[in-house]
C-alpha cells in the first residue's frame, strides 16, 4: 500500500470539531487529479484541495479508506451516507 502526504490545508472557514455534520465531496478525474470540498450546510462547500495530481496514478480498481485525527481524546468522527459513482 502506498501512503503519501499529497497536500495539507488547515485554513478552513469553520471548525471540524463543532459537533455538527460536515459534508465532504471528493472528485477523482480519470487522469488522477483529486479535488476535495468540505462544508457544514448543503451548498456551502469550500474547496480544500483542487486538482492535486496523484503521483504515479494508474487507473484501476481502488480500495478507498477514510481517516481522521482528533485534536483531543474526546473527539468523535463518523463516516455516513457515502455515495460513490
Amino acid at each position: 500500500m502506498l501512503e503519501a502526504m499529497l497536500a495539507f490545508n488547515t485554513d478552513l472557514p469553520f471548525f471540524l470539531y463543532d459537533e455538527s455534520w460536515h459534508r465532504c465531496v471528493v472528485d477523482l478525474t480519470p487522469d488522477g487529479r483529486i479535488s476535495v470540498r468540505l462544508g457544514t450546510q448543503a451548498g456551502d462547500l469550500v474547496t480544500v484541495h483542487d486538482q492535486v495530481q496523484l503521483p504515479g496514478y494508474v487507473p484501476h480498481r481502488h480500495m478507498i479508506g477514510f481517516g481522521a485525527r482528533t485534536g483531543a481524546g474526546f473527539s468523535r468522527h463518523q463516516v455516513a451516507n457515502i455515495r460513490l459513482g
Side-chain angles (χ1 to χ4, degrees):
M1 177 171 71
L2 172 66
E3 292 184 24
M5 176 70 75
L6 299 175
F8 188 80
N9 184 337
T10 59
D11 189 27
L12 297 175
F14 52 86
F15 294 106
L16 291 175
Y17 57 84
D18 61 3
E19 296 295 323
S20 297
W21 286 89
H22 299 282
R23 178 177 299 223
C24 178
V25 177
V26 179
D27 295 311
L28 176 63
T29 64
D31 65 345
R33 295 183 185 277
I34 193 166
S35 296
V36 178
R37 295 176 291 152
L38 290 173
T40 55
Q41 302 293 325
D44 74 345
L45 297 177
V46 173
T47 299
V48 178
H49 302 294
D50 191 24
Q51 300 290 311
V52 176
Q53 180 65 51
L54 298 175
Y57 179 79
V58 176
H60 64 282
R61 186 174 299 219
H62 286 81
M63 295 174 63
I64 298 174
F66 299 92
R69 283 193 242 180
T70 63
F74 56 85
S75 296
R76 180 178 59 137
H77 298 86
Q78 288 182 320
V79 177
N81 303 322
I82 297 171
R83 184 184 69 199
L84 301 174

